[in-house]
């Protein structure tokens, strides 16, 4: 060429031959062209062997080389890369060698390592370039991370999760359970259950397997397992188990979080047991202390008054009447024992009846005769015997007068 840097300026003809009568033929032959497709990252790192195609100027690229470019891209995608930019012509009509012999045709397929976010309980970011799109334009939801599992299940060319996800931890949770039971394990008050969950985002590099984590956060406003006052349970007293620890708050962190299981054991309170002869037993449970579940209360009921009986304590001592002047108001119960789970029997014992003195028998009084017509009552001379004798004497005199009168009439 006249100008090696610009062949368009023409070429110098060959020298005149020794026989100047002979023509010198100058043939124009098709230039051989070269097309090179590189596969590199955004930083220029080569990730696959370049595909080199050669052909005549103006000719189409070799089909086998075109297929090799396509398969290399698929291979890179399956290995976890995503295509950022692809200079290789997408249409067959554009896959043609140029006519510039001096410069090779260079095509670059720029790729990036695909980094998949793992965000528990959060939707996929539709603008994340690492997430492919469905035909309708919505983002594809990645599968649950498992080693060797396709990240995008509906894509036959999907990359798979790396082996490192076997140790992936994006959630930690624990539960605190406090049970309130009797000695047989039966629930006497509602069980308290509280759960704290920590979550964090993760980003998984599908090429290198590297996992980067975000900060831990909780699903609530604090990171404390609350302690609760031991409840007062009617008829029971809290005796054993986690009486103290269950009332304390416990601060947890993602590194220390673990399940907490606590149990508070209750015993049944004893009773005052009045034993009244001829009456069904009706125990009176000891009261609860309304502020302290570990102690009985101080209220003391009264047991009833039963005529003819006196209530006594276990030592046989009579109970104190509520009103010494009126035992019908009942009796004060004994003090609750040092072991408030033990009953106190209150027996009613009969009261002996006092003996009544015998009154001497009185002699029977004689019957008083009826008065005759016109007879006056004799004055009381002082004794009942004199009055009786006077009455008999008068009756005899009158009888004598009757007999004499009847005799004269017969004569």
């Amino acid at each position: 060429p006249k100008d090696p840097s610009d062949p368009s300026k023409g070429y110098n003809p060959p020298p005149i031959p020794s026989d100047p009568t002979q023509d010198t033929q100058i043939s124009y032959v098709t230039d051989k062209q070269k097309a090179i497709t590189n596969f590199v990252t955004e930083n220029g790192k080569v990730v696959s062997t370049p595909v080199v195609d050669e052909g005549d100027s103006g000719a189409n690229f070799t089909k086998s080389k075109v297929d090799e470019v396509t398969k290399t891209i698929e291979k890179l995608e399956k290995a976890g890369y995503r295509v950022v930019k692809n200079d290789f012509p997408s249409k067959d009509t554009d896959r043609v060698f140029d006519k510039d012999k001096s410069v090779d045709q260079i095509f670059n397929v720029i790729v990036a390592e695909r980094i998949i976010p793992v965000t528990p309980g959060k939707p996929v970011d539709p603008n994340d370039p690492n997430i492919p799109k469905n035909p309708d334009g919505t983002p594809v939801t990645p599968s649950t991370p498992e080693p060797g599992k396709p990240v995008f299940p509906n894509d036959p060319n999907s990359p798979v999760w790396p082996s490192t996800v076997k140790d992936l931890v994006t959630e930690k949770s624990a539960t605190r359970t406090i049970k309130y039971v009797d000695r047989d394990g039966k629930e006497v008050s509602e069980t308290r259950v509280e759960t704290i969950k920590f979550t964090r985002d993760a980003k998984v590099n599908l090429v290198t397997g590297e996992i980067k984590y975000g900060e831990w956060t909780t699903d609530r406003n604090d990171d404390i397992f609350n302690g609760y006052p031991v409840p007062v349970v009617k008829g029971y007293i809290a005796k054993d188990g986690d009486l103290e620890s269950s009332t304390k708050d416990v601060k947890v962190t993602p590194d220390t979080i673990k399940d907490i299981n606590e149990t508070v054991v209750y015993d049944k309170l004893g009773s005052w047991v009045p034993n009244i002869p001829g009456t069904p037993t009706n125990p009176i449970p000891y009261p609860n202390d309304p502020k302290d579940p570990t102690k009985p209360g101080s209220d003391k009921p009264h047991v009833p008054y039963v005529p003819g009986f006196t209530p006594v304590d276990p030592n046989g001592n009579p109970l104190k009447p509520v009103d010494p002047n009126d035992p019908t108001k009942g009796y004060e119960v004994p003090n609750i024992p040092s072991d408030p789970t033990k009953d106190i029997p209150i027996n009613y014992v009969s009261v002996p009846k006092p003996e009544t003195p015998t009154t001497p028998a009185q002699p029977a009084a004689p019957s008083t005769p009826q008065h005759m017509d016109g007879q006056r009552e004799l004055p009381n001379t002082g004794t009942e015997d004199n009055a009786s004798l006077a009455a008999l004497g008068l009756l005899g005199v009158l009888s004598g007068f009757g007999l004499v009168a009847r005799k004269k009439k017969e004569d």
Side-chain angles (χ1 to χ4, degrees):
K2 292 183 176 294
D3 184 349
S5 61
D6 185 5
S8 64
K9 291 182 179 180
Y11 296 87
N12 294 318
I16 296 173
S18 57
D19 183 356
T21 64
Q22 300 295 319
D23 294 333
T24 300
Q25 184 175 357
I26 299 175
S27 299
Y28 279 74
V29 297
T30 304
D31 290 334
K32 292 293 183 182
Q33 303 290 344
K34 185 182 291 185
I36 302 173
T37 304
N38 298 311
F39 304 92
V40 296
T41 66
E42 293 172 297
N43 295 327
K45 177 184 176 181
V46 176
V47 294
S48 187
T49 303
V51 175
V52 179
D53 192 8
E54 294 182 353
D56 295 335
S57 296
N60 289 336
F61 293 165
T62 307
K63 184 179 183 306
S64 62
K65 295 297 182 178
V66 171
D67 292 343
E68 187 177 347
V69 170
T70 301
K71 289 179 180 179
T72 300
I73 293 174
E74 291 178 351
K75 181 180 178 181
L76 289 172
E77 289 181 329
K78 197 171 184 65
Y81 289 96
R82 62 182 176 88
V83 176
V84 177
K85 184 179 179 182
N86 185 358
D87 293 337
F88 191 78
S90 58
K91 296 180 180 179
D92 285 339
T93 54
D94 296 330
R95 295 169 180 165
V96 178
F97 290 106
D98 63 16
K99 297 179 180 180
D100 187 353
K101 174 183 176 181
S102 62
V103 179
D104 293 336
Q105 290 174 268
I106 303 296
F107 303 105
N108 291 316
V109 178
I110 301 175
V111 297
E113 295 169 349
R114 194 183 291 272
I115 299 174
I116 302 299
V118 180
T119 54
K122 298 178 184 178
V124 176
D125 182 359
N127 298 316
D128 189 338
N130 290 285
I131 305 298
K133 297 287 193 297
N134 290 307
D136 61 359
T138 58
V140 175
T141 301
S143 64
T144 302
E146 295 179 18
K149 181 179 180 180
V151 179
F152 312 113
N154 295 327
D155 181 0
N157 197 49
S158 169
V160 298
W161 291 106
S163 61
T164 53
V165 299
K166 71 179 184 300
D167 300 319
L168 180 70
V169 179
T170 56
E171 293 185 14
K172 285 187 177 183
S173 65
T175 299
R176 184 181 195 178
T177 304
I178 307 175
K179 295 182 178 181
Y180 305 98
V181 300
D182 63 13
R183 292 288 176 180
D184 296 326
K186 180 181 177 182
E187 184 180 274
V188 296
S189 186
E190 183 179 1
T191 299
R192 289 190 177 274
V193 179
E194 185 180 7
T195 299
I196 293 179
K197 179 189 287 187
F198 288 93
T199 59
R200 64 180 176 181
D201 295 342
K203 292 183 178 181
V204 181
N205 188 315
L206 299 184
V207 176
T208 65
E210 181 185 16
I211 301 175
K212 292 184 178 180
Y213 291 103
E215 296 294 324
W216 286 107
T217 60
T218 66
D219 58 343
R220 37 190 276 177
N221 296 327
D222 60 30
D223 53 2
I224 293 175
F225 276 131
N226 295 312
Y228 294 94
V230 175
V232 173
V233 179
K234 185 177 181 180
Y236 287 86
I237 185 171
K239 288 288 281 185
D240 290 318
D242 303 299
L243 285 168
E244 183 177 357
S245 65
S246 64
T247 65
K248 297 183 181 298
D249 292 346
V250 179
K251 181 178 176 63
V252 294
T253 68
D255 295 329
T256 63
I257 190 170
K258 62 180 180 179
D259 289 338
I260 300 175
N261 295 295
E262 295 166 307
T263 302
V264 177
V265 180
Y266 287 74
D267 284 335
K268 194 171 182 61
L269 280 170
S271 300
W272 291 285
V273 185
N275 296 312
I276 303 173
T279 303
T281 301
N282 187 19
I284 305 171
Y286 302 148
N288 289 94
D289 186 319
K291 296 182 178 180
D292 189 346
T294 66
K295 297 178 181 178
S298 58
D299 294 342
K300 297 180 72 175
H302 301 151
V303 291
Y305 165 76
V306 178
F309 291 89
T310 299
V312 297
D313 65 17
N315 295 323
N317 300 314
L319 301 188
K320 181 180 178 181
V322 176
D323 183 350
N325 298 321
D326 185 3
T328 62
K329 293 181 180 179
Y331 298 85
E332 295 181 0
V333 293
N335 292 329
I336 296 173
S338 57
D339 182 355
T341 65
K342 301 297 184 182
D343 292 340
I344 295 180
I346 299 174
N347 296 321
Y348 277 70
V349 296
S350 61
V351 178
K353 294 182 180 180
E355 294 184 2
T356 304
T358 305
T359 303
Q362 298 292 326
S367 59
T368 304
Q370 296 182 348
H371 298 293
M372 298 178 63
D373 293 342
Q375 183 180 355
R376 293 184 179 181
E377 184 178 352
L378 294 176
N380 188 353
T381 58
T383 63
E384 291 182 359
D385 291 342
N386 291 338
S388 299
L389 291 173
L392 291 174
L394 180 59
L395 181 59
V397 172
L398 290 177
S399 298
F401 279 120
L403 291 174
V404 172
R406 192 181 340 177
K407 180 66 176 173
K408 286 182 177 181
K409 189 175 181 180
E410 288 178 356
D411 292 340

